[in-house]
Structures are given as C-alpha cells and as structure tokens.
C-alpha cells in the first residue's frame, strides 16, 4: 500500500512552550520563535500551541497572545491553536481574538478547538467562575463560532469585529471517539492527541472517516495525528535525550510536575515499575531513534493509519538537540512522501 496514494504527507509542529530547568517562560518564548523560524525553513506546514493552565513546565496558557508572537516573527508557516479549550471561553471572545490574528496575519491562522479544561478541576473552576457548573455544548459553541466568522452574520445584534467574514479554518481536536463524531458530523478536519492519549486513536479515526459528512469547509475527511518525536544521529543518543520526555510524563502520571528535566543515564533510579508502565502506555505513539529506525517506524505508522498530516511534539532539554530532531524528522517524512512505500 502506498502512503495516501503517493500524496505527500504534511508535517507540522506542536509546541507546549515547555519551560526547562534553570530557565524562565521568557527564555521559552525566545526558543519557540527560533524553532518556528527553523520549522518554516524546513517546510513544516503549521506551528501550533496548546492551551494549558497551572502547569509549571508549560508556558502557553495565553495561547492567542503567543500565537501572535510566533506569527509576527515568521512569514509563511501557518500558526494556530492545538488547541483552544472552548468551554473556558465564550465563542464571541474567541472569534474576536482569532479574527484579530487573522486580520494581522492573513491566510496563516488555524483555530483548533478542544473541549477539555486543559488543567485540573480546581483551576478550571478559577478560569470559568460561575460558569463552571454550566452545561457546555461543544457542537453548539462551534456553530456559534462559525456564525460569528460568517459574512451572513452582519445583520446580527452580536457581531465579531474583527472576525466576521474571515476564512479561519476550524479544527476539532480530541482524544476519544466523542470528538471524532463531532468532527465527522460537522465536516471539519480532525486532529487526534495520540501523543498522550493513544488508546482510542485507531478507533476514532476510523469512526471519523466512516461517518464524515462533506461540508462547505471540507469535502473529504482530513486526519492529523500528533506524536512524540525524539530524533538524533544515533539510536543511543535519541534514547538518552528521550529520558527528558519520560520524566515529563512521569510528572503527569504522578502529579509531581517539574520544569523539564535534563536527560539521565538510568530512568530506573527515578521511577518504579507501575510508573514506567503508565508512562509507556501514554507514549505508545512515540518515535525515538536515529534516522533509519525512525524511517521504518514512521513508514509503518503512515501505512497503517493513512493520516494526511503528522504533527510532532518534542520535549527535548537541549535546544540545539531539539532543533536537530525537527530537522531529521522533516527529512524522514519528505523521503517517505517522495517514494512509494
């Protein structure tokens, strides 16, 4: 079987604006811009940032502000959200923010939407205030956004200025079959969080494709998978660098979050068997190794899933090694897209 009938597979970046040990969010924003500029040179399609709150190692909480910073420092790469957690915001405010971004950076802004809070329940209550217990309807909020972006909304009493009449692609993000059903029913592109929630990935994308209804926004299903990538010149070097990723997710499963830690020689000195198992389950779709190992594993992944786009996220401590990882990943995907596999 060929990859997407020999159609080139798009490749993109997901950046959590990870703060590393010994650095500050201000440092992180500078390195994110450096990475975005390099990704633009390497032919990456888009650079997304994710909304998270109350996490010491993630500095992308003011997502739309950071999108503006990255878009303003680049010139061609698409920049967007992976995603905005819609229940945390009113659709009108999101429409105004992204309408502003799309006015500043025409044809370069993506709006990926999720329904999770992007944080713990206590923080979610602080974000949402009296709306915490309100019934949130994700599909109707998406429809409200579409209405605000529509030129036909100009006669409404409530308008998104700027935003009205602008072409801002909306993506549905998810980690379950529920999100797949929403994306399919609304005829929107679908991005799956397989980098941390792999359990329902294959089932969800099959359901999405089977139930997809063409819309004015999209005539056929479009699937993007987000995966963890640590690429280096050798397998051994990649394995060493990946221990920062393992420590990051160890903080997730243990609830003991830290700034991104430097790599270590032996993870067995840090975690127990149960923690190792839990982290391993979360990282099922991770590609760690040198060029040849990664090429074979990514080739198998693309053949099996037939995704249209693969988005890489890389929690690598050393900035130079992180840049190198994205350089190698782009080369591998380009090579695979150029030949029948």
């Amino acid at each position: 079987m060929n990859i997407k009938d020999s159609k080139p597979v798009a490749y993109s970046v997901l950046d959590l604006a990870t703060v590393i040990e010994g650095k500050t969010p201000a440092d992180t924003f500078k390195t994110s811009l450096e990475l975005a500029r390099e990704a633009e040179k390497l032919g990456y399609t888009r650079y997304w940032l994710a909304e998270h709150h109350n996490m010491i190692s993630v500095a992308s909480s003011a997502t739309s502000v950071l999108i503006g910073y990255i878009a303003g420092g680049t010139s061609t790469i698409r920049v967007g959200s992976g995603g905005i957690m819609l229940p945390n915001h009113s659709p009108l405010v999101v429409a105004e923010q992204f309408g502003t971004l799309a006015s500043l950076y025409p044809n370069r802004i993506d709006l990926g939407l999720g329904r999770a809070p992007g944080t713990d329940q206590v923080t979610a209550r602080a974000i949402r205030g009296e709306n915490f217990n309100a019934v949130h309807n994700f599909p109707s909020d998406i429809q409200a956004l579409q209405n605000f972006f529509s030129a036909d909304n100009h006669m409404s009493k409530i308008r998104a200025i700027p935003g009205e009449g602008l072409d801002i692609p909306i993506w549905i993000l998810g980690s379950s079959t529920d999100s797949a059903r929403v994306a399919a029913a609304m005829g929107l592109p679908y991005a799956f969080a397989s980098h941390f929630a792999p359990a329902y990935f294959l089932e969800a994308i099959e359901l999405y494709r089977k139930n997809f209804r063409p819309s004015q926004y999209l005539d056929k299903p479009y699937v993007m998978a987000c995966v963890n990538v640590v690429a280096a010149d050798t397998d051994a070097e990649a394995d060493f660098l990946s221990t920062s990723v393992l420590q990051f997710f160890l903080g997730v499963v243990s609830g003991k979050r830290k700034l991104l830690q430097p790599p270590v020689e032996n993870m067995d000195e840090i975690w127990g068997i149960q923690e190792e198992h839990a982290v391993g389950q979360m990282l099922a779709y991770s590609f760690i190794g040198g060029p040849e190992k990664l090429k074979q594993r990514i080739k198998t992944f693309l053949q099996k899933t037939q995704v249209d786009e693969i988005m890489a996220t890389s929690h690598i401590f050393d900035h130079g090694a992180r840049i190198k990882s994205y350089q190698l990943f782009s080369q591998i995907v380009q090579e695979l897209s150029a030949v029948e596999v």
Side-chain angles (χ1 to χ4, degrees), residues 57-78:
S57 60
V58 179
S60 52
S61 54
T63 318
S64 59
V65 176
L66 195 49
I67 288 171
Y69 171 68
I70 298 297
T74 52
S75 58
T76 58
I77 194 168
R78 297 193 66 88

Side-chain angles (χ1 to χ4, degrees), residues 189-236:
Y190 185 45
F192 196 91
S194 39
H195 62 298
F196 74 87
Y200 295 102
F201 172 55
L202 296 177
E203 181 182 353
I205 62 174
E206 181 181 2
L207 188 152
Y208 166 70
R209 288 169 172 151
K210 184 181 298 183
N211 294 279
F212 182 84
R213 299 177 185 173
S215 68
Q216 67 184 90
Y217 310 104
L218 194 64
D219 61 356
K220 60 183 179 179
Y222 191 98
V223 175
M224 175 163 65
C226 187
V227 299
N228 297 286
V229 175
V230 179
D233 287 330
T234 66
D235 292 349

Side-chain angles (χ1 to χ4, degrees), residues 152-209:
D152 295 336
N153 198 55
H154 71 282
M155 296 299 292
S156 174
K157 292 182 179 180
I158 303 175
R159 302 169 64 186
I161 309 295
E164 189 176 285
L166 298 181
D167 181 17
I168 304 173
I170 291 178
W171 291 67
I172 304 301
L173 278 57
S175 56
S176 71
T177 54
D178 289 343
S179 57
R181 294 182 192 278
V182 172
M186 302 187 78
L188 295 172
Y190 185 45
F192 196 91
S194 39
H195 62 298
F196 74 87
Y200 295 102
F201 172 55
L202 296 177
E203 181 182 353
I205 62 174
E206 181 181 2
L207 188 152
Y208 166 70
R209 288 169 172 151

Side-chain angles (χ1 to χ4, degrees), residues 138-160:
F138 190 50
S140 67
D141 282 351
I142 297 169
Q143 290 172 342
L145 266 172
Q146 290 173 327
N147 287 336
F148 284 131
F149 289 143
S150 171
D152 295 336
N153 198 55
H154 71 282
M155 296 299 292
S156 174
K157 292 182 179 180
I158 303 175
R159 302 169 64 186

Side-chain angles (χ1 to χ4, degrees), residues 14-34:
L14 175 66
D15 183 7
L16 299 188
T18 309
V19 186
I20 69 173
E21 184 70 43
K23 299 294 183 178
T24 67
D27 298 317
T28 296
F29 299 149
K30 293 177 183 177
T31 55
S32 287
L33 182 56
E34 289 176 9

Side-chain angles (χ1 to χ4, degrees), residues 28-329:
T28 296
F29 299 149
K30 293 177 183 177
T31 55
S32 287
L33 182 56
E34 289 176 9
L35 176 59
R37 287 171 171 165
E38 181 65 19
E40 186 171 73
K41 294 176 184 177
L42 294 169
Y44 281 82
T45 300
R46 60 192 96 244
Y47 193 101
W48 279 7
L49 298 136
E51 178 186 349
H52 291 286
H53 302 278
N54 197 29
M55 297 182 184
I56 187 172
S57 60
V58 179
S60 52
S61 54
T63 318
S64 59
V65 176
L66 195 49
I67 288 171
Y69 171 68
I70 298 297
T74 52
S75 58
T76 58
I77 194 168
R78 297 193 66 88
V79 188
S81 59
I84 291 294
M85 301 298 107
L86 194 50
N88 291 349
H89 315 274
S90 78
L92 176 60
V93 171
V94 174
E96 292 171 337
Q97 290 177 347
F98 278 77
T100 300
L101 287 167
S103 297
L104 289 167
Y105 312 105
N107 303 313
R108 293 185 57 210
I109 301 298
D110 295 327
L111 175 52
L113 300 171
R115 73 167 98 200
T119 187
D120 58 88
Q121 291 300 302
V122 174
T123 306
R125 185 182 294 273
I127 292 170
R128 298 175 184 176
E130 294 181 0
N131 290 326
F132 180 79
N133 293 315
V135 176
H136 296 282
N137 190 319
F138 190 50
S140 67
D141 282 351
I142 297 169
Q143 290 172 342
L145 266 172
Q146 290 173 327
N147 287 336
F148 284 131
F149 289 143
S150 171
D152 295 336
N153 198 55
H154 71 282
M155 296 299 292
S156 174
K157 292 182 179 180
I158 303 175
R159 302 169 64 186
I161 309 295
E164 189 176 285
L166 298 181
D167 181 17
I168 304 173
I170 291 178
W171 291 67
I172 304 301
L173 278 57
S175 56
S176 71
T177 54
D178 289 343
S179 57
R181 294 182 192 278
V182 172
M186 302 187 78
L188 295 172
Y190 185 45
F192 196 91
S194 39
H195 62 298
F196 74 87
Y200 295 102
F201 172 55
L202 296 177
E203 181 182 353
I205 62 174
E206 181 181 2
L207 188 152
Y208 166 70
R209 288 169 172 151
K210 184 181 298 183
N211 294 279
F212 182 84
R213 299 177 185 173
S215 68
Q216 67 184 90
Y217 310 104
L218 194 64
D219 61 356
K220 60 183 179 179
Y222 191 98
V223 175
M224 175 163 65
C226 187
V227 299
N228 297 286
V229 175
V230 179
D233 287 330
T234 66
D235 292 349
E237 182 184 1
D239 287 340
F240 175 66
L241 294 173
S242 73
T243 58
S244 292
V245 183
L246 300 180
Q247 291 178 80
F248 179 90
F249 280 92
L250 174 60
V252 174
V253 302
S254 68
K256 300 175 182 178
R257 296 178 183 272
K258 300 178 180 180
L259 298 177
L260 187 68
Q261 298 296 298
V264 296
E265 294 290 347
N266 187 2
M267 281 297 297
D268 290 336
E269 297 177 355
I270 298 175
W271 61 13
I273 295 176
Q274 291 184 333
E275 292 171 324
E276 180 181 3
H277 179 70
V279 170
Q281 286 186 317
M282 294 184 73
L283 297 180
Y285 290 108
S286 297
F287 300 92
I288 298 166
E292 289 307 312
K293 180 180 179 180
L294 256 62
K295 185 180 294 185
Q296 290 303 313
R297 293 201 60 217
I298 293 171
K299 172 182 174 180
T300 300
F301 175 80
L302 294 175
Q303 287 177 324
K304 182 176 182 179
T305 63
Q306 293 288 291
V307 296
D308 301 277
E309 188 166 342
I310 185 168
M311 177 170 273
T313 185
S314 301
H315 299 290
I316 297 175
F317 186 82
D318 180 76
H319 182 55
R322 187 180 180 215
I323 293 284
K324 180 65 175 292
S325 180
Y326 278 105
Q327 291 172 339
L328 291 172
F329 180 70

